[in-house]
Each structure stands twice: as structure tokens, then as C-alpha cells.
Amino acid sequence: MNKKAFIFDLDGVVVDTAKFHFVAWQRLAAGIGIDFTHEENEQLKGVSRVDSLKKILQWGNKTLSPEEFEKKLVQKNTEYLTMVESLTVADILPGVHDFLLQLKELEQPIALGSASKNARPILKKLGIYDLFDVIVDGTNVTKAKPDPEVFLNACDQLGYVASQSIVFEDSVAGVQAANAASMISIGLGDPKILHEADEVFDAFTSMPENYIHSLLKKHKS
Ligand code: BG6
Ligand code: MG
């Protein structure tokens, strides 16, 4: 059988944690007098913790000393982790578990390609850590999405090349990273926001029957 490297983003693709990142950043921003919207939040999705805070400060035209900046990063993550404590398997996004199991059945290689430094504990908490053959997360990369480093590293570790790789992403930065690597990009979310993706679905449950088989034959457009 044909094989491809299947690479999944974590937050907003595998698990419903994008909303926690949003709330944690919004509270932190409010504390320093900065307001931002759902639309602006799209620009934070997929973006590293440091780059997210830089963007928020830019929006509010504010600067922080290096010490304050570091303190805010810790504050955001502490708040985020408090919300993550309540995560259960019910927060795995619809259809994802089944999709991963189908890939396993077909002996297709699976990787995680996430900007998050919390990826490993979250996957372990949800009992799906072992479904991934390779995990590349925010602790393994130096360049944040939209740089393709995270996905190139993942496909490389799986022993595949970029043209044999398929990336599942909910963020504009992540879709751009996959495209920059010349990988097939499948968006999960709003097609208007993720218009740069090769295909977009609102959820894994909306993918057509036998979608994996058609992906195995698909080439980058
Ligand atoms: C991405 C999220 O997956 O990880 C971003 O979409 C987040 O919102 C980034 O900023 C870094 O995550 P963490 O958990 O290391 O702060
Ligand atoms: Mg994401």
C-alpha cells in the first residue's frame, strides 16, 4: 500500500484546547490594558508562546521589560495549565481518535507537529500519546510556525520527504508552514480563514468516506 507521513497539529486539531489558549491570553492582555478579538486571535493560533505575547504587546502598543515579559509568559502558562487540568477524553475533537486508529490499521506513519511545549503531557493525559510514532513540539524546534521547521523535522524523523507528507492544521500560521514545506495542507476550521489550505473541513467527521485512501493518492496542488 501507498504510504504517506500524516502530521497533526495538536491544539484545535487533536484536542479542543485552542479555546483555553484564547481565554488565557485574553485575561493576561486585559490585565495590561489590551483588548483583542476572536478575529485577532486567529493570528495567535499556531504561534509560539513568546511570539504570541510579542504580537499582543504590538497590538496594544505596549512594551515590557525582559523580566516582566518572562513573568507574563509564566502567568499565561500557569492559567492555561489550570484549564488543561479539566481536560478529559471528551475534549478530543470529533472523529480524530477514529481517524488515528484507521491510520494505525493501515500502518501509516503518524507524527505530531505542534508549537506547544505542553504537547506531551496533554497527549499522555488523554491516553493517545502512543498513537504517535514521532512527536515534534515546542521543546524541539527553534523556529516557530509559519516556519516549516516543525513539520520538516517530523517527516524527516518518520523517514519521509515533504512531498509525501500531509499536515492537518487549524491555524493560518500552520497552513502556511505546511505549504512552505510543499506538504499537502488540510485545514480544520473556517474555509474563509484557512483559504490557503489545499482542502478545508469543519471537522474530521465531515471528511468523506474513504478519505484516507484518497489522501494516499493525492499530490500537492
Ligand atoms: C499552539 C497554539 O499549538 O501552541 C498556540 O495554537 C500556543 O496558541 C502555542 O501559543 C504554544 O503553546 P504552549 O502550550 O507552549 O504555550
Ligand atoms: Mg492549532
Side-chain angles (χ1 to χ4, degrees), residues 179-193:
N179 290 343
S182 297
M183 297 176 173
I184 293 170
S185 52
I186 308 295
L188 273 308
D190 183 341
K192 286 197 206 85
I193 294 168

PDB file of all heavy atoms in Angstrom, residues 179-193:
ATOM      1  N   ASN A 179       2.483  24.594   3.682  1.00  0.00           N
ATOM      2  CA  ASN A 179       2.636  25.000   2.280  1.00  0.00           C
ATOM      3  C   ASN A 179       4.088  25.374   1.971  1.00  0.00           C
ATOM      4  O   ASN A 179       4.612  25.045   0.900  1.00  0.00           O
ATOM      5  CB  ASN A 179       1.710  26.175   1.951  1.00  0.00           C
ATOM      6  CG  ASN A 179       0.251  25.754   1.927  1.00  0.00           C
ATOM      7  OD1 ASN A 179      -0.068  24.566   1.849  1.00  0.00           O
ATOM      8  ND2 ASN A 179      -0.655  26.726   1.994  1.00  0.00           N
ATOM      9  N   ALA A 180       4.723  26.045   2.936  1.00  0.00           N
ATOM     10  CA  ALA A 180       6.122  26.449   2.728  1.00  0.00           C
ATOM     11  C   ALA A 180       7.020  25.223   2.581  1.00  0.00           C
ATOM     12  O   ALA A 180       8.061  25.275   1.923  1.00  0.00           O
ATOM     13  CB  ALA A 180       6.600  27.315   3.893  1.00  0.00           C
ATOM     14  N   ALA A 181       6.598  24.105   3.190  1.00  0.00           N
ATOM     15  CA  ALA A 181       7.375  22.862   3.087  1.00  0.00           C
ATOM     16  C   ALA A 181       6.934  22.044   1.868  1.00  0.00           C
ATOM     17  O   ALA A 181       7.415  20.940   1.659  1.00  0.00           O
ATOM     18  CB  ALA A 181       7.193  22.039   4.358  1.00  0.00           C
ATOM     19  N   SER A 182       5.985  22.568   1.090  1.00  0.00           N
ATOM     20  CA  SER A 182       5.390  21.845  -0.057  1.00  0.00           C
ATOM     21  C   SER A 182       4.712  20.546   0.365  1.00  0.00           C
ATOM     22  O   SER A 182       4.749  19.542  -0.344  1.00  0.00           O
ATOM     23  CB  SER A 182       6.431  21.539  -1.140  1.00  0.00           C
ATOM     24  OG  SER A 182       6.923  22.729  -1.658  1.00  0.00           O
ATOM     25  N   MET A 183       4.106  20.586   1.552  1.00  0.00           N
ATOM     26  CA  MET A 183       3.329  19.437   2.031  1.00  0.00           C
ATOM     27  C   MET A 183       1.849  19.695   1.746  1.00  0.00           C
ATOM     28  O   MET A 183       1.429  20.858   1.680  1.00  0.00           O
ATOM     29  CB  MET A 183       3.505  19.272   3.547  1.00  0.00           C
ATOM     30  CG  MET A 183       4.933  18.960   3.945  1.00  0.00           C
ATOM     31  SD  MET A 183       5.109  18.879   5.735  1.00  0.00           S
ATOM     32  CE  MET A 183       6.787  18.305   5.886  1.00  0.00           C
ATOM     33  N   ILE A 184       1.075  18.630   1.618  1.00  0.00           N
ATOM     34  CA  ILE A 184      -0.376  18.806   1.448  1.00  0.00           C
ATOM     35  C   ILE A 184      -0.921  19.379   2.759  1.00  0.00           C
ATOM     36  O   ILE A 184      -0.608  18.867   3.841  1.00  0.00           O
ATOM     37  CB  ILE A 184      -1.055  17.451   1.123  1.00  0.00           C
ATOM     38  CG1 ILE A 184      -0.591  16.965  -0.251  1.00  0.00           C
ATOM     39  CG2 ILE A 184      -2.571  17.566   1.191  1.00  0.00           C
ATOM     40  CD1 ILE A 184      -0.997  15.537  -0.571  1.00  0.00           C
ATOM     41  N   SER A 185      -1.702  20.445   2.668  1.00  0.00           N
ATOM     42  CA  SER A 185      -2.244  21.062   3.878  1.00  0.00           C
ATOM     43  C   SER A 185      -3.755  20.868   3.937  1.00  0.00           C
ATOM     44  O   SER A 185      -4.469  21.244   3.010  1.00  0.00           O
ATOM     45  CB  SER A 185      -1.894  22.555   3.913  1.00  0.00           C
ATOM     46  OG  SER A 185      -2.275  23.191   2.708  1.00  0.00           O
ATOM     47  N   ILE A 186      -4.204  20.254   5.031  1.00  0.00           N
ATOM     48  CA  ILE A 186      -5.638  20.059   5.239  1.00  0.00           C
ATOM     49  C   ILE A 186      -6.046  20.949   6.414  1.00  0.00           C
ATOM     50  O   ILE A 186      -5.556  20.767   7.542  1.00  0.00           O
ATOM     51  CB  ILE A 186      -5.973  18.577   5.564  1.00  0.00           C
ATOM     52  CG1 ILE A 186      -5.364  17.625   4.527  1.00  0.00           C
ATOM     53  CG2 ILE A 186      -7.488  18.391   5.693  1.00  0.00           C
ATOM     54  CD1 ILE A 186      -5.897  17.753   3.120  1.00  0.00           C
ATOM     55  N   GLY A 187      -6.918  21.896   6.139  1.00  0.00           N
ATOM     56  CA  GLY A 187      -7.368  22.821   7.178  1.00  0.00           C
ATOM     57  C   GLY A 187      -8.553  22.254   7.936  1.00  0.00           C
ATOM     58  O   GLY A 187      -9.417  21.605   7.351  1.00  0.00           O
ATOM     59  N   LEU A 188      -8.570  22.517   9.241  1.00  0.00           N
ATOM     60  CA  LEU A 188      -9.721  22.154  10.072  1.00  0.00           C
ATOM     61  C   LEU A 188     -10.264  23.453  10.633  1.00  0.00           C
ATOM     62  O   LEU A 188      -9.622  24.076  11.488  1.00  0.00           O
ATOM     63  CB  LEU A 188      -9.286  21.246  11.225  1.00  0.00           C
ATOM     64  CG  LEU A 188      -9.218  19.724  11.035  1.00  0.00           C
ATOM     65  CD1 LEU A 188     -10.526  19.170  10.476  1.00  0.00           C
ATOM     66  CD2 LEU A 188      -8.087  19.311  10.140  1.00  0.00           C
ATOM     67  N   GLY A 189     -11.417  23.881  10.127  1.00  0.00           N
ATOM     68  CA  GLY A 189     -11.978  25.143  10.605  1.00  0.00           C
ATOM     69  C   GLY A 189     -12.750  25.845   9.510  1.00  0.00           C
ATOM     70  O   GLY A 189     -13.374  25.204   8.662  1.00  0.00           O
ATOM     71  N   ASP A 190     -12.651  27.164   9.516  1.00  0.00           N
ATOM     72  CA  ASP A 190     -13.422  28.008   8.599  1.00  0.00           C
ATOM     73  C   ASP A 190     -12.661  28.162   7.271  1.00  0.00           C
ATOM     74  O   ASP A 190     -11.539  28.677   7.269  1.00  0.00           O
ATOM     75  CB  ASP A 190     -13.614  29.365   9.294  1.00  0.00           C
ATOM     76  CG  ASP A 190     -14.464  30.325   8.477  1.00  0.00           C
ATOM     77  OD1 ASP A 190     -14.607  30.117   7.252  1.00  0.00           O
ATOM     78  OD2 ASP A 190     -14.965  31.290   9.081  1.00  0.00           O
ATOM     79  N   PRO A 191     -13.287  27.766   6.142  1.00  0.00           N
ATOM     80  CA  PRO A 191     -12.584  27.868   4.854  1.00  0.00           C
ATOM     81  C   PRO A 191     -12.215  29.311   4.476  1.00  0.00           C
ATOM     82  O   PRO A 191     -11.247  29.526   3.745  1.00  0.00           O
ATOM     83  CB  PRO A 191     -13.580  27.288   3.847  1.00  0.00           C
ATOM     84  CG  PRO A 191     -14.842  27.044   4.574  1.00  0.00           C
ATOM     85  CD  PRO A 191     -14.603  27.149   6.041  1.00  0.00           C
ATOM     86  N   LYS A 192     -12.951  30.274   5.021  1.00  0.00           N
ATOM     87  CA  LYS A 192     -12.609  31.677   4.699  1.00  0.00           C
ATOM     88  C   LYS A 192     -11.284  32.049   5.368  1.00  0.00           C
ATOM     89  O   LYS A 192     -10.464  32.759   4.803  1.00  0.00           O
ATOM     90  CB  LYS A 192     -13.716  32.607   5.210  1.00  0.00           C
ATOM     91  CG  LYS A 192     -14.960  32.551   4.360  1.00  0.00           C
ATOM     92  CD  LYS A 192     -15.846  33.753   4.645  1.00  0.00           C
ATOM     93  CE  LYS A 192     -17.284  33.436   4.333  1.00  0.00           C
ATOM     94  NZ  LYS A 192     -18.008  32.762   5.451  1.00  0.00           N
ATOM     95  N   ILE A 193     -11.101  31.555   6.595  1.00  0.00           N
ATOM     96  CA  ILE A 193      -9.860  31.871   7.323  1.00  0.00           C
ATOM     97  C   ILE A 193      -8.696  31.026   6.799  1.00  0.00           C
ATOM     98  O   ILE A 193      -7.585  31.514   6.624  1.00  0.00           O
ATOM     99  CB  ILE A 193     -10.065  31.650   8.840  1.00  0.00           C
ATOM    100  CG1 ILE A 193     -11.090  32.667   9.368  1.00  0.00           C
ATOM    101  CG2 ILE A 193      -8.748  31.778   9.610  1.00  0.00           C
ATOM    102  CD1 ILE A 193     -11.601  32.386  10.756  1.00  0.00           C
TER     103      ILE A 193
END
